[in-house]
Amino acid sequence: MIGEHAFCPTSGASLSREVHYDERGRPERVPLSDDLSPNAALEAPLTTGKRRSSRRALLTYFRRCHRRHAEADDDLYRRAALALGRLKRTATGRQERDVIVWLALGDRLARDGFDVDWMGAHVEPRCPECSGRLTYAEGADGPVARCGGSCCESRIDRLATIRETVRSLLAKTYPEDSTPDPDALAVL
């Protein structure tokens, strides 16, 4: 992931607060080793995160975030690993972005009976077009998100676009299940 919740896209390790600048002046951070990714500092380059991370990185991030809210749960971690593998294999194009996979994972785990309310605190929805930050305004039916960078002329609700992308990934990954209503997704 990029932004506030960035992590190493290879290992899933947390990133240092200290910023280093590359030869072109771009800020990058060092992956930090911990018990979930013990060799992160040795195996991964400086990074600011990526829009698409490995399955391993997302699972490590998932476990790290879950441990901030509850005790370790091996059943949840096994279920998350299976669902992540399936979602990552099925995802194409924009569906491959970490934010979309994370939200789809949350919905899948909620359907399996797990508490996933905590997952919303560890994701920052981004513009589906340019991956820029979103700005929020109150609309007639609730909050409306628009691209903060104004990447396109239309003023459509980016959250609706994100929900539809998550819904389509779930429908493609789990065709045997009923497709959730975009407004009824568990995390977003």
Side-chain angles (χ1 to χ4, degrees):
M1 270 187 230
I2 60 174
E4 181 182 336
H5 302 286
F7 57 85
C8 174
T10 306
S11 67
S14 296
L15 300 178
S16 68
R17 296 237 182 254
E18 182 181 344
V19 176
H20 303 272
Y21 295 91
D22 68 7
E23 64 280 352
R24 293 178 23 199
R26 294 177 300 195
E28 296 179 323
R29 301 186 299 174
V30 176
L32 301 173
S33 297
D34 63 11
D35 63 321
L36 293 175
S37 39
N39 298 318
L42 302 173
E43 66 186 41
L46 295 174
T47 186
T48 56
K50 299 274 188 216
R51 285 184 233 162
R52 294 176 176 98
S53 302
S54 69
R55 184 190 66 78
R56 172 184 165 210
L58 273 172
L59 184 58
T60 301
Y61 180 68
F62 177 86
R63 292 178 66 191
R64 181 176 291 107
C65 292
H66 179 260
R67 290 191 329 186
R68 292 179 189 159
H69 298 275
E71 294 295 318
D73 183 343
D74 289 337
D75 187 38
L76 172 63
Y77 300 154
R78 278 191 296 275
R79 222 32 108 74
L82 290 171
L84 262 176
R86 197 166 172 184
L87 288 163
K88 292 287 279 180
R89 277 191 307 277
T90 306
T92 58
R94 290 188 181 144
Q95 294 173 342
E96 293 175 309
R97 292 181 180 177
D98 290 346
V99 170
I100 302 301
V101 173
W102 184 263
L103 296 170
L105 174 64
D107 191 77
R108 183 63 198 178
L109 293 173
R111 282 175 171 241
D112 290 343
F114 293 100
D115 173 28
V116 295
D117 291 339
W118 60 271
M119 288 180 73
H122 301 281
V123 66
E124 176 187 7
R126 310 284 287 200
C127 176
E129 297 298 321
C130 69
S131 295
R133 293 186 187 274
L134 297 175
T135 59
Y136 297 89
E138 191 60 40
D141 298 328
V144 175
R146 294 191 177 97
C147 179
S150 300
C151 66
C152 62
E153 295 297 319
S154 70
R155 303 292 290 161
I156 62 171
D157 182 10
R158 296 299 179 185
L159 288 179
T161 305
I162 292 168
R163 285 185 189 103
E164 186 54 39
T165 306
V166 171
R167 190 192 72 71
S168 68
L169 174 58
L170 287 166
K172 195 162 86 172
T173 305
Y174 299 99
E176 67 277 3
D177 292 348
S178 63
T179 305
D181 183 289
D183 292 329
L185 294 173
V187 178
L188 186 60

